[in-house]
Amino acid sequence: MSLSVEQIGEFRAFAEQLADVAAAAIQPHFRANLDVEDKGGRLYDPVTVADKAAEDAMREQILARYPEHGILGEEHGAAVGSSPLTWVLDPIDGTRAFITGLPLWGTLIALNDGSRPVVGVMNQPFTGERFVGTPAGAWRSGTPLKTRACSDLAAATLMCTTPDMFDTPERKAAFEAVAGKARLMRYGGDCYAYCMLASGFVDVIVEASLQPYDVQALMPIIEGAGGVITAWDGSSAQNGGCVVACGDPALHAQVVEMLRHAM
């Protein structure tokens, strides 16, 4: 579904309203004593009342304003709409950081037009930062973002949330081959690392085991800042799985060649 500049502007403004609503639900729980559940699975997957309250609040706003739109959220799954447009929500990306008091988490909000995400918001209410991306560009709290030039992996800063996300020996080995050539390797960061890539402080991110709601909001931010984000084989990253993001398109092409065999 092709959206006009005016429609993109309308949906961006609404996405920012959703970020405000989610922030109001989340902030009282950050660095507070709260119960943590484990959703289970291969890795520890925590969820808190803050995650649930924020997604509930955002879904309520979407249903009231755009009842025809679909919704895909981490906590409550998919609700198919009559429109091709779908809101993709992760109320707290980085719940492990959240429950340990680290501000490396954020609320992710994307609008997918039926073929790709065209609006993306990462909101970090504790630090007061909001990252927004559209086809027209990307911004941090209103300031334009630009990735930095870095075409040489040997000069690159690489980030990854955790080595535990590589779920096969082939994927772990492929990641380690890339990380072993980078100048600096840092773990942690979740969605915040992607926004630092869009801001020109990180050059490459290599991850796996992602869900659509982990990545769709970040795609317009990185692309709007001049970066590239795809699956390891160069196809669309919007379905999650194995994802690579680079600030420099030449570096991205190099890293994809090192990763594509392990998809």
Side-chain angles (χ1 to χ4, degrees), residues 51-90:
D51 298 77
K52 295 175 181 178
E55 185 167 321
D56 287 344
M58 290 190 286
R59 283 178 176 264
E60 183 178 325
Q61 293 285 316
I62 295 167
L63 289 170
R65 178 79 174 269
Y66 301 111
E68 71 279 12
H69 289 188
I71 305 173
L72 173 63
E74 178 174 15
E75 305 308 330
H76 300 301
V80 178
S82 58
S83 163
L85 301 176
T86 299
W87 294 93
V88 184
L89 312 173
D90 191 345

Side-chain angles (χ1 to χ4, degrees), residues 4 15-16 29 33 58 68 81 113 194 239 257:
S4 67
E16 295 205 52
H29 301 288
N33 291 323
M58 290 190 286
E68 71 279 12
D113 68 359
Y194 289 84
N239 295 319
E257 286 307 310

Side-chain angles (χ1 to χ4, degrees), residues 26-34 36 44 46 48 50-51 92-106 124-127 189-190 192:
I26 292 168
Q27 283 187 279
H29 301 288
F30 185 52
R31 295 185 179 169
N33 291 323
L34 74 170
V36 181
Y44 176 57
T48 72
D51 298 77
I92 301 178
D93 182 82
T95 302
R96 296 174 187 82
F98 186 87
I99 64 178
T100 49
L102 300 173
L104 303 178
W105 54 272
Q124 213 318 324
F126 183 75
T127 63
D190 291 282
Y192 203 86

Side-chain angles (χ1 to χ4, degrees), residues 33-45:
N33 291 323
L34 74 170
D35 293 331
V36 181
E37 300 173 34
D38 181 7
K39 291 190 283 189
R42 187 175 65 87
L43 301 176
Y44 176 57
D45 192 5

Side-chain angles (χ1 to χ4, degrees), residues 170 173-174 232-233 256-263:
E170 294 79 13
W232 284 11
D233 63 359
V256 162
E257 286 307 310
M258 299 176 69
L259 295 172
R260 63 167 63 250
H261 71 278
M263 269 286 287

Side-chain angles (χ1 to χ4, degrees), residues 2 6 25 27 35 50 56 75 79 88 91-92 123 140 150 159 165 183 185 212 263:
S2 181
E6 291 75 20
Q27 283 187 279
D35 293 331
D56 287 344
E75 305 308 330
V88 184
I92 301 178
N123 194 54
R140 175 182 53 81
C150 178
M159 288 197 72
M165 65 192 346
R183 182 179 64 181
M185 167 70 227
M263 269 286 287

